[in-house]
Amino acid sequence: MKSARPAASGLSASPLAATVAMLFAAISWGSLFLVGKPVLSRLDPIWFTALRYLLAGVGMVVLVALFGQKPWAKLRTHWALLTGYGVLGYGFFGVLVLEGLKLSLPSHGAVLMATLPLTTILLRWLLDGHRPGLPMLGAAALAMGGVVLVSGVLGRGDGPPHMLLGDALTLLGTIGWALYTRGAAKLPDLSPLEYTGLTAIAALPWQLLFAAAVTAAGWIAAPQWQDLAPIAPHLIYIAAVPTVAAVIAFNFGVRRLGASHGTLFLNGVPVSALLMSVALGQHPAMQEWLGAALVIAALTLSTRSPGKAPAPATPAAKTPAPHETVKVRAPAVVGGRCPAA
């Protein structure tokens, strides 16, 4: 018993480091929209997504090879599932979010991204029948109100001409990411790092093939070197920081702070994007600030909502007598984290 105590304290001994890691992840994801916006003037979103994950794939391969447990055997075993979820999470989500960013504003994309936890909860209701409680439904309604304010449906007319379409594409893209996160439960033998890396690796050939096919069909233009050279630093930053480093930092923080506390840090994504927009001389409208505040309040309410009560014991369950010794089996740990987490 004494030997287990240092390990347990070691996991919770660095709340400051975990908090810093979560803030880094939130700010990195907020910066993605601001750094990515200029790239879209020179590179189509489809090629942007393919090149982004081509560069990030190098880091993913190294990390999975170093820290995974027989990752290539798992890749062969679960190739079909990993490919499907990877295309949903990195292809469908990545392309639609960038298409939305191309038509809208960076601050809008960051606010819409913060609705992801609520989108996931509503999908569980639709697909699995897990009906959320009234506080959760209220949070979803509050978030939708924030999205309506930010998108400018209520009358803002000083944004880009196709801003509403761009926001709709971004919101549609978040469904792909929500389905991708649900896929992790289908592959319980993969650690968070393995699931993140192997899905990206499995989906990459299909992203490159899709980009090449639509280019050959004449629907989009192939990237030219004179266009890539000025945005190369942007692509490297996006691949290294928001795509790889931020995901690792987020997983690190969630493992130490817990999922509910970790989700709260998604509030920092729209806040950081709005503050960086102000620093760059872009002044969001008051309704955008108000919409972001509603989304943040909804996310906070959703993580504070109590879960369902545990199911009662079955009649066959035997209550041990006072003199009996009860042996409790510790939960299995997958990839360093208890699956119940």
Side-chain angles (χ1 to χ4, degrees):
M1 295 295 292
K2 291 182 179 179
S3 62
R5 202 169 283 185
S9 62
L11 287 176
S12 58
S14 56
L16 179 59
T19 301
V20 171
M22 298 296 278
L23 288 173
F24 167 77
I27 294 171
S28 299
W29 288 330
S31 70
L32 167 65
F33 297 93
L34 293 166
V35 178
K37 182 71 171 179
V39 177
L40 292 169
S41 63
R42 294 176 174 268
L43 194 62
D44 185 86
I46 295 176
W47 274 111
F48 188 167
T49 302
L51 294 177
R52 171 189 175 185
Y53 288 107
L54 178 62
L55 293 173
V58 177
M60 295 287 191
V61 168
V62 173
L63 290 171
V64 169
L66 289 176
F67 302 107
Q69 298 179 354
K70 299 181 178 178
W72 312 126
K74 294 176 181 178
L75 178 60
R76 290 191 297 269
T77 302
H78 305 296
W79 180 82
L81 278 177
L82 289 170
T83 300
Y85 288 123
V87 169
L88 272 175
Y90 298 118
F92 181 81
F93 165 77
V95 170
L96 285 186
V97 166
L98 291 177
E99 288 283 2
L101 178 60
K102 184 177 181 180
L103 299 174
S104 186
L105 300 174
S107 57
H108 287 205
V111 172
L112 293 169
M113 284 292 295
T115 64
L116 259 171
L118 297 171
T119 303
T120 303
I121 291 168
L122 294 177
L123 277 176
R124 287 191 66 201
W125 184 13
L126 178 65
L127 300 178
D128 301 332
H130 294 289
R131 186 180 184 277
L134 287 178
M136 194 67 68
L137 291 175
L142 198 63
M144 186 54 62
V147 168
V148 168
L149 282 175
V150 168
S151 64
V153 172
L154 297 182
R156 179 179 175 182
D158 57 345
H162 302 292
M163 184 172 65
L164 185 57
L165 175 60
D167 291 342
L169 290 174
T170 300
L171 195 59
L172 179 62
T174 62
I175 297 176
W177 187 262
L179 292 172
Y180 167 78
T181 57
R182 284 169 47 87
K186 305 288 186 182
L187 299 165
D189 58 324
L190 270 63
S191 70
L193 176 60
E194 289 172 339
Y195 183 72
T196 301
L198 294 180
T199 48
I201 294 168
L204 179 58
W206 298 100
Q207 295 185 62
L208 293 173
L209 183 62
F210 178 70
V214 295
T215 302
W219 296 343
I220 63 174
Q224 303 295 323
W225 173 249
Q226 59 268 26
D227 293 326
L228 291 177
I231 59 174
H234 299 72
L235 287 172
I236 294 172
Y237 169 82
I238 290 171
V241 180
T243 307
V244 177
V247 172
I248 295 172
F250 186 78
N251 285 336
F252 170 81
V254 166
R255 289 179 66 175
R256 279 150 180 79
L257 299 178
S260 60
H261 288 86
T263 305
L264 285 174
F265 282 87
L266 289 175
N267 293 340
V269 177
V271 172
S272 63
L274 287 170
L275 292 178
M276 283 186 276
S277 296
V278 172
L280 293 174
Q282 305 168 9
H283 300 287
M286 181 56 66
Q287 71 182 52
E288 291 178 325
W289 287 105
L290 181 58
L294 288 178
V295 170
I296 290 170
L299 184 57
T300 304
L301 177 61
S302 69
T303 55
R304 297 296 186 188
S305 299
K308 289 185 177 181
T314 59
K318 178 185 175 183
T319 304
H323 64 276
E324 291 180 340
T325 301
V326 180
K327 294 182 179 180
V328 180
R329 182 180 179 185
V333 175
V334 178
R337 180 167 68 178
C338 171

Coordinates of all heavy atoms in Angstrom, one line a residue, residues 20 28 39 54 57 59 82 93 100 109 117 119 135-136 215-216 224 233 242 245 248 253 259 276 286 325 329:
V20 N -1.0 25.3 -16.7 CA -0.3 26.0 -17.7 C -0.4 25.3 -19.1 O -0.6 25.9 -20.1 CB 1.2 26.1 -17.3 CG1 2.1 26.6 -18.5 CG2 1.4 27.1 -16.1
S28 N -3.3 28.2 -28.1 CA -2.8 27.7 -29.4 C -3.9 27.5 -30.3 O -3.8 27.9 -31.5 CB -2.0 26.4 -29.2 OG -0.9 26.6 -28.3
V39 N -3.3 32.4 -44.7 CA -2.9 31.2 -45.5 C -3.9 31.0 -46.6 O -3.7 30.6 -47.7 CB -2.6 30.0 -44.7 CG1 -2.3 28.8 -45.5 CG2 -1.5 30.3 -43.7
L54 N 0.2 16.5 -43.3 CA 1.4 15.9 -43.8 C 2.6 16.3 -42.9 O 3.5 15.5 -42.5 CB 1.7 16.3 -45.2 CG 2.9 15.8 -45.9 CD1 2.9 14.3 -46.0 CD2 3.1 16.4 -47.3
G57 N 2.1 14.9 -39.4 CA 2.2 13.5 -39.4 C 3.6 13.1 -39.0 O 3.8 12.0 -38.4
G59 N 5.6 14.5 -36.9 CA 5.7 14.6 -35.4 C 4.9 13.5 -34.8 O 5.3 12.9 -33.8
L82 N -9.7 3.2 -37.8 CA -8.8 4.4 -37.6 C -8.9 5.3 -38.9 O -8.9 6.5 -38.7 CB -7.4 3.9 -37.4 CG -7.1 3.3 -36.1 CD1 -5.7 2.6 -36.1 CD2 -7.2 4.3 -35.0
F93 N -13.8 17.5 -40.7 CA -13.7 18.7 -39.8 C -12.7 19.7 -40.3 O -13.0 20.9 -40.3 CB -13.3 18.1 -38.4 CG -12.9 19.2 -37.4 CD1 -13.8 20.0 -36.8 CD2 -11.6 19.4 -37.1 CE1 -13.4 21.0 -35.9 CE2 -11.2 20.3 -36.2 CZ -12.1 21.1 -35.6
G100 N -15.0 27.5 -43.7 CA -15.8 28.5 -42.9 C -14.9 29.7 -42.6 O -15.4 30.9 -42.6
G109 N -14.9 31.6 -35.8 CA -14.5 30.2 -35.8 C -14.2 29.7 -34.4 O -14.5 28.6 -34.0
P117 N -18.2 20.6 -26.9 CA -18.7 19.6 -25.9 C -20.2 19.5 -25.9 O -20.7 18.4 -25.7 CB -18.2 20.3 -24.6 CG -17.0 21.1 -25.0 CD -17.3 21.6 -26.4
T119 N -22.1 19.9 -28.6 CA -22.5 19.2 -29.8 C -22.3 17.7 -29.5 O -23.2 16.9 -29.9 CB -21.6 19.6 -30.9 OG1 -21.7 21.0 -31.1 CG2 -21.9 18.9 -32.2
P135 N -30.5 21.0 -17.0 CA -29.4 22.0 -17.0 C -28.6 21.9 -18.3 O -28.1 22.9 -18.8 CB -28.6 21.6 -15.8 CG -29.5 20.9 -14.9 CD -30.4 20.2 -15.7
M136 N -28.4 20.6 -18.8 CA -27.6 20.5 -20.0 C -28.4 21.0 -21.2 O -27.8 21.6 -22.1 CB -27.3 19.0 -20.2 CG -26.2 18.8 -21.2 SD -24.6 19.4 -20.7 CE -24.3 18.3 -19.3
T215 N -8.1 18.4 -57.6 CA -7.2 19.2 -58.4 C -7.2 18.8 -59.8 O -7.3 19.6 -60.8 CB -5.8 19.2 -57.8 OG1 -5.8 19.7 -56.4 CG2 -4.9 20.2 -58.6
A216 N -7.1 17.5 -60.0 CA -7.1 16.9 -61.4 C -8.4 17.1 -62.1 O -8.4 17.3 -63.3 CB -6.8 15.4 -61.3
Q224 N 1.2 26.3 -55.7 CA 2.4 26.7 -56.4 C 3.5 27.1 -55.4 O 3.2 27.6 -54.3 CB 2.1 27.9 -57.3 CG 1.0 27.6 -58.3 CD 1.4 26.5 -59.3 OE1 2.6 26.4 -59.8 NE2 0.4 25.7 -59.7
P233 N 6.2 29.5 -43.0 CA 6.2 29.7 -41.5 C 4.9 29.5 -40.8 O 4.8 28.9 -39.8 CB 6.7 31.1 -41.3 CG 7.5 31.4 -42.5 CD 6.7 30.8 -43.6
P242 N -0.6 24.2 -32.8 CA -2.0 23.9 -32.6 C -2.3 22.4 -32.9 O -3.2 21.8 -32.3 CB -2.8 24.8 -33.5 CG -1.9 25.9 -33.9 CD -0.5 25.3 -33.9
A245 N 1.5 20.0 -30.6 CA 1.9 20.3 -29.2 C 0.6 20.6 -28.3 O 0.6 20.2 -27.2 CB 2.8 21.6 -29.2
I248 N -1.1 17.4 -27.2 CA -0.4 16.7 -26.2 C -0.6 17.4 -24.9 O -0.8 16.8 -23.8 CB 1.1 16.6 -26.6 CG1 1.3 15.7 -27.8 CG2 1.9 16.1 -25.4 CD1 2.7 15.7 -28.4
G253 N -3.0 17.8 -19.4 CA -3.8 18.6 -18.5 C -5.1 17.8 -18.0 O -5.4 17.8 -16.8
A259 N -11.6 15.4 -16.7 CA -12.2 15.8 -17.9 C -13.1 17.1 -17.7 O -13.1 18.0 -18.6 CB -13.1 14.7 -18.5
M276 N -6.7 38.4 -29.2 CA -5.6 38.5 -30.2 C -6.1 39.4 -31.4 O -5.4 40.1 -32.0 CB -5.2 37.2 -30.7 CG -4.2 36.5 -29.7 SD -3.6 34.9 -30.3 CE -4.9 33.8 -29.9
M286 N -19.9 44.5 -30.3 CA -20.4 44.2 -28.9 C -21.2 42.9 -28.9 O -21.1 42.1 -27.9 CB -21.3 45.3 -28.4 CG -21.8 45.1 -27.0 SD -20.5 44.8 -25.8 CE -19.7 46.4 -25.8
T325 N -14.7 -10.1 4.4 CA -13.7 -9.2 3.8 C -14.1 -9.0 2.3 O -14.3 -9.9 1.6 CB -12.3 -9.8 3.8 OG1 -11.9 -10.1 5.2 CG2 -11.3 -8.9 3.2
R329 N -11.6 -5.0 -6.9 CA -10.6 -5.0 -8.0 C -10.4 -3.6 -8.6 O -11.3 -2.9 -8.9 CB -11.1 -6.0 -9.1 CG -10.1 -6.1 -10.2 CD -10.7 -7.1 -11.3 NE -9.7 -7.2 -12.4 CZ -10.0 -7.9 -13.5 NH1 -11.2 -8.5 -13.6 NH2 -9.2 -8.0 -14.5

